[in-house]
Amino acid sequence: MQLSVHFENTQGTETGSGPVTVGWFLNQQKGGIVYFPPERVRGAEKNKTHAKSASRCPAVINLESRYFVIRCPFDLHLGFTRDDKGKPHIRNLNGDMSGIRASKLAEKIHMTPEKEWRYAGIPTIQLVLPYVFIADEPVYASQVAPFMHYQKTPMPGTIFGGRFPINVWPRPLMWAFEWHETDKPLKINRGDPLFYLTFETVPQDRSVVVVETEVTPELTDYMELISGAVNYVNQTFSLFEAAEERRPETLIRPVKRRPTKD
């Protein structure tokens, strides 16, 4: 058996060198202060007092440094139920003690129609997020479960993400969850890891730097060009070439922040 992976560069461009810059921004600023910035998974709290510690292993360091964590912006304590007609619903188990208002929770959490569930009897819910990631050269982003963070209480289901080229198809991310054990609640605290992002570059050994980018008129126009395409066609990947032809050459403009005081 022979397996191979082929990653094509953008047409007419040379393979880059040095760190790859990935930009991120929030496509909705209202209440944006509650959303955590992306952070590299690799942490300084790990044991480095022994020469043979896994924290010093180059392969481990290289792997962890390529994952970025997105954290939950608010407390979630949800239950699954069906009404007297059998229609599935999400319950806010925190009730009046919930930190997020019921009207806002309804805007952020959606249950997909039952006929669209991937597996019969296993509900799919989605958390709408405002994060968008972009690049000015070929970069594929993969959204995966936070497998390097320990959870004392396992989730009653599985997280599924996706893989797509952020240089031609930047779009707001969603957190999708398949609820396998619907008799158990889904509880995630603010600040808990929701998912990881990892980025594929050309060539593969290049490092990645993630920076917040300004939402320029050019970026807004390009996002508007590709937004909502999934409502009109089934295979949006078929539109990548057309999107690439109409994409501005540069979209990332790092945000300039005031220096923090020591």
Side-chain angles (χ1 to χ4, degrees):
M1 180 175 67
Q2 183 177 2
L3 300 177
S4 64
V5 177
H6 183 61
F7 181 26
E8 290 187 356
N9 199 3
T10 302
Q11 295 180 4
T13 62
E14 299 293 331
T15 299
S17 61
V20 176
T21 299
V22 170
W24 74 275
F25 65 95
L26 303 179
N27 72 332
Q28 294 180 354
Q29 289 299 317
K30 188 174 182 180
I33 194 66
V34 306
Y35 294 96
F36 297 89
E39 59 186 271
R40 205 178 293 269
V41 170
R42 181 179 168 191
E45 73 283 357
K46 299 174 184 177
N47 178 24
K48 294 185 179 179
T49 59
H50 196 286
K52 298 301 182 181
S53 169
S55 298
R56 292 181 178 271
C57 174
V60 173
I61 293 172
N62 188 271
L63 173 73
E64 292 182 348
S65 68
R66 291 180 175 274
Y67 285 90
F68 295 81
V69 62
I70 301 296
R71 298 185 180 275
C72 190
F74 30 73
D75 293 337
L76 295 174
H77 193 191
L78 309 176
F80 174 85
T81 187
R82 291 183 182 271
D83 60 22
D84 54 0
K85 296 182 179 178
K87 185 177 180 180
H89 290 279
I90 299 171
R91 292 176 55 210
N92 182 5
L93 299 181
N94 282 337
D96 292 339
M97 298 303 295
S98 177
I100 181 172
R101 294 185 182 277
S103 59
K104 294 301 179 182
L105 183 63
E107 293 177 4
K108 299 298 183 182
I109 292 284
H110 303 289
M111 181 171 291
T112 61
E114 189 164 0
K115 61 185 178 181
E116 296 180 13
W117 296 353
R118 293 203 300 175
Y119 307 105
I122 300 179
T124 299
I125 66 171
Q126 292 180 320
L127 171 61
V128 179
L129 296 168
Y131 294 98
V132 182
F133 290 80
I134 62 171
D136 285 331
E137 55 184 299
V139 175
Y140 266 76
S142 294
Q143 183 181 358
V144 299
F147 58 90
M148 286 183 278
H149 280 80
Y150 172 73
Q151 293 179 321
K152 187 175 182 180
T153 303
M155 287 190 177
T158 57
I159 299 167
F160 70 93
R163 175 181 178 272
F164 60 99
I166 58 174
N167 57 306
V168 295
W169 206 256
R171 59 183 177 84
L173 298 178
M174 283 192 177
W175 179 79
F177 181 77
E178 290 180 320
W179 209 327
H180 288 253
E181 298 179 273
T182 53
D183 59 327
K184 296 181 179 180
L186 171 61
K187 187 174 183 180
I188 309 175
N189 296 321
R190 170 174 162 80
D192 286 349
L194 268 180
F195 58 86
Y196 296 158
L197 284 172
T198 186
F199 303 99
E200 299 171 54
T201 64
V202 179
Q204 293 88 344
D205 61 349
R206 296 174 67 190
S207 60
V208 174
V209 177
V210 174
V211 299
E212 186 177 4
T213 187
E214 294 182 10
V215 184
T216 62
E218 294 82 6
L219 179 54
T220 300
D221 290 344
Y222 188 71
M223 291 293 297
E224 185 68 21
L225 175 70
I226 65 176
S227 68
V230 69
N231 295 318
Y232 303 100
V233 297
N234 289 331
Q235 300 295 327
T236 54
F237 275 35
S238 64
L239 301 175
F240 287 172
E241 186 174 344
E244 184 179 330
E245 292 176 351
R246 301 176 63 175
R247 182 198 189 281
E249 182 177 356
T250 302
L251 289 176
I252 296 178
R253 184 183 298 174
V255 171
K256 295 180 180 180
R257 299 290 188 194
R258 290 184 297 178
T260 57
K261 297 181 180 179
D262 296 332

